[in-house]
Amino acid sequence: MNIFRLLGDLSHLLAILLLLHRIWKTRSCDGISGKSQLLFALVFSTRYLDIFTNFVSVYNTALKIVFLASSFATVYLMFVKFKATYDRSRDSFWMVCLLLPTALLALLVNHEFSMMEILWTFSIYLESVAILPQLFMVSKTSEDESLVSHYLFILGSYKAFYLLNWVYRFYNEGYSDLIAIFAGIVQTGLCFSVGCHFTLQFASARLFGTAPAPAAATLEQLDATLQKQPDVEVLAADTKPVGTSQFPVRVVTDAPAPL
């Protein structure tokens, strides 16, 4: 194992732990696509079916277990424990648009026409586009979610390091895998493009004081809050004239204290 693969694995693990920490700390999964997390869980499930039949190393087996456990833990937090905070209306990307093409491509383009190899190839193709529901979701809101952009950027770094790993192995071991390289380029490009966009947007807001417009839901909540506030001045219904004045007395509920 070379340094590029190690950095890639650590970046991947960091991205997953960052997402889990954000969900657990805020007790909310707002801004996170549950569909992307379901797709990632499917990716790991189909890729690591050989976890008990093909032993490579302790490191390799440990990573497989960690990725499987963390992906299903994320799905559990989003759809069970904190499901009330999951915004299904914004997470509206059709997963079938990703599942069917990648499954068909795995059947047509693979290294060997066997069940395990097709499932592994399917996981490679699906992982390259599994982030699309998350990208689609963040494009529908103007809210500044810097942590999600950091997650996307680190996730892109994971595949970027793996691309360097394949280059290193090609020149030093003569090994190449065009399927994994092609899928890695696609995933890296998607994550970096959106991650850089939101990072630059966040930096611009900090430097120039510009902030994205509040979302419609936020405006509706503010309007509902204002409507619930009591009037500052209330006209007494049973007031009587005081002295020679023929006008009703106006009672102010929260008048300032006299100086």
Side-chain angles (χ1 to χ4, degrees), residues 69-89:
S70 58
S71 63
F72 281 101
T74 305
V75 170
Y76 168 78
L77 291 178
M78 293 197 66
F79 291 95
V80 180
K81 191 170 183 63
F82 304 125
K83 65 179 181 179
T85 64
Y86 171 46
D87 191 352
R88 297 177 183 272
S89 62

Side-chain angles (χ1 to χ4, degrees), residues 161-179:
F161 282 124
Y162 258 69
L163 288 174
L164 294 175
N165 161 65
W166 293 320
V167 172
Y168 175 89
R169 294 189 64 183
F170 176 77
Y171 282 103
N172 290 274
E173 305 172 13
Y175 172 83
S176 64
D177 188 334
L178 293 180
I179 291 177

Side-chain angles (χ1 to χ4, degrees), residues 20-256:
L20 282 171
H21 177 262
R22 189 264 193 191
I23 295 174
W24 188 260
K25 182 179 180 180
T26 62
R27 318 294 286 183
S28 169
C29 51
D30 182 51
I32 301 173
S33 170
K35 292 184 177 180
S36 276
Q37 299 310 312
L38 283 173
L39 291 176
F40 281 127
L42 181 59
V43 164
F44 295 133
S45 298
T46 52
R47 182 177 300 174
Y48 299 146
L49 288 174
D50 63 344
I51 188 171
F52 298 112
T53 59
N54 184 24
F55 179 80
V56 177
S57 65
V58 175
Y59 172 82
N60 183 270
T61 302
L63 273 186
K64 289 179 179 180
I65 294 174
V66 169
F67 288 145
L68 281 169
S70 58
S71 63
F72 281 101
T74 305
V75 170
Y76 168 78
L77 291 178
M78 293 197 66
F79 291 95
V80 180
K81 191 170 183 63
F82 304 125
K83 65 179 181 179
T85 64
Y86 171 46
D87 191 352
R88 297 177 183 272
S89 62
R90 282 194 296 162
D91 195 12
S92 56
F93 193 93
W94 285 14
M95 290 193 297
V96 68
C97 295
L98 302 178
L99 292 171
L100 287 181
T102 52
L104 180 61
L105 190 59
L107 289 171
L108 297 176
V109 183
N110 52 68
H111 296 304
E112 179 186 341
F113 199 79
S114 64
M115 179 62 69
M116 295 296 291
E117 186 64 29
I118 290 174
L119 288 175
W120 179 87
T121 307
F122 168 71
S123 75
I124 295 296
Y125 291 145
L126 183 61
E127 185 185 20
S128 67
V129 293
I131 199 64
L132 280 177
Q134 179 67 65
L135 305 184
F136 184 74
M137 186 176 184
V138 297
S139 70
K140 295 175 64 177
T141 177
S142 56
E143 294 176 4
D144 178 29
E145 184 55 88
S146 58
L147 196 143
V148 173
S149 68
H150 295 161
Y151 164 73
L152 295 174
F153 192 86
I154 297 173
L155 200 62
S157 301
Y158 141 63
K159 275 301 179 183
F161 282 124
Y162 258 69
L163 288 174
L164 294 175
N165 161 65
W166 293 320
V167 172
Y168 175 89
R169 294 189 64 183
F170 176 77
Y171 282 103
N172 290 274
E173 305 172 13
Y175 172 83
S176 64
D177 188 334
L178 293 180
I179 291 177
I181 292 174
F182 171 76
I185 292 174
V186 172
Q187 183 178 358
T188 303
L190 288 174
C191 291
F192 271 160
S193 61
V194 178
C196 288
H197 169 74
F198 279 96
T199 300
L200 291 175
Q201 186 182 59
F202 178 74
S204 175
R206 286 296 183 89
L207 289 174
F208 303 107
T210 59
T218 306
L219 290 175
E220 291 176 359
Q221 293 173 359
L222 179 61
D223 183 61
T225 304
L226 292 175
Q227 289 180 2
K228 292 180 181 178
Q229 297 297 323
D231 295 336
V232 176
E233 296 185 354
V234 179
L235 183 62
D238 56 345
T239 55
K240 296 181 180 180
V242 178
T244 58
S245 175
Q246 301 300 318
F247 297 96
V249 176
R250 184 177 296 273
V251 180
V252 180
T253 58
D254 52 352

